[in-house]
Every structure is written in C-alpha cells, then in structure tokens.
Amino acid sequence: MEITVKRRTGILGVLTPIPLEFNGDMITTLSGSQEKVISLPASDGTLKYVESLNRSDQVHVRQGDVITIRRTALSKVTHLLFVITLLYFLSANIYILVTGAPYDHEWAGLLGLLLAIAFIIVGITSLFFNTYRLVVEERS
C-alpha cells in the first residue's frame, strides 16, 4: 500500500523533523516542507506523528490517501508569540548596544516581562495539546 504525506508546518515548523509511525512501527521522517510517497506493509492502519514533549495526532489511512501535516491554531499562536518576543528582546539589546543605556520608557521593562511570562505560559500549555494535526486531503 502507498500513501502520500505532505508537510505544511510553516517557517518555524520546518526547523525540526517529524517522525511518522504506522501501526506503532517507525516508517519515515519528514523534514522541511517535504512530500513523500510511503509504502506501507498493510492495506489500512493508523498513521501517527511522534514528537517528544508533545501529544501526537493520528489518523486512519487506506491505500492512495493523501495526508497533510498542518499546524494547529495553538502552534500558530506559539510561533507568533515567539517571533514577537524575539524581536522585542533583540531590539532592546540593540538599543542598549547603541546608546549604552536600557530603554528609558517606564513601560518597556513591563512589556518585556509580560512577553516573557506569556511565552512561558503558552509554551508550557502547548505541551498538553497537539502541535500538528494530520488531515486526510484525498481519500481514494
């Protein structure tokens, strides 16, 4: 049996490979925005992605299915919050390097603290939910 698996996990999602299991056996790993045709030993079964520190999504597959790995809404929020926090701390450090003093505005430190706390809370929360979901695009 053959199925096609496409990975559509966004810019930050391509940084780590995603291992796939079929009926509990490791079959392949997808990296980047890779698309693979995978030969499976049975005519139908359960396809699952496996990541440490993450709940894994699974889907029942049959011969000829096209499966897409997509980000969940929580993953999109986490990535956006990561980019915003990174840009804030990067700009704060560049400001310190150029002027020799920290941000003068009283809200700057509070904003940095709130961003860091929000990032930690969302990061810990994301450990209990799926980062990616497996979607059956075409069923034969």
Side-chain angles (χ1 to χ4, degrees), residues 12 106 111 126 130:
L12 291 177
E106 62 189 43
L111 178 62
S126 70
N130 294 344

Side-chain angles (χ1 to χ4, degrees), residues 64-81:
D65 284 352
V66 177
I67 310 297
T68 303
I69 302 172
R70 297 190 183 274
R71 294 184 302 168
T72 61
L74 179 63
S75 174
K76 291 175 184 177
V77 168
T78 304
H79 288 173
L80 180 64
L81 191 56

Side-chain angles (χ1 to χ4, degrees), residues 27-108:
I27 54 169
T28 190
T29 299
L30 291 176
S31 300
S33 294
Q34 197 172 20
E35 180 176 324
K36 277 188 180 180
V37 175
I38 303 168
S39 295
L40 301 174
S43 60
D44 69 336
T46 303
L47 182 69
K48 177 180 180 180
Y49 82 87
V50 181
E51 276 193 315
S52 59
L53 299 177
N54 193 351
R55 291 193 55 209
S56 299
D57 193 29
Q58 60 186 19
V59 67
H60 187 77
V61 294
R62 298 188 304 230
Q63 167 67 27
D65 284 352
V66 177
I67 310 297
T68 303
I69 302 172
R70 297 190 183 274
R71 294 184 302 168
T72 61
L74 179 63
S75 174
K76 291 175 184 177
V77 168
T78 304
H79 288 173
L80 180 64
L81 191 56
F82 173 76
V83 169
I84 291 170
T85 305
L86 182 70
L87 290 175
Y88 172 79
F89 286 112
L90 186 64
S91 69
N93 286 322
I94 289 173
Y95 183 84
I96 290 170
L97 286 173
V98 171
T99 64
Y103 278 147
D104 296 341
H105 198 276
E106 62 189 43
W107 293 101

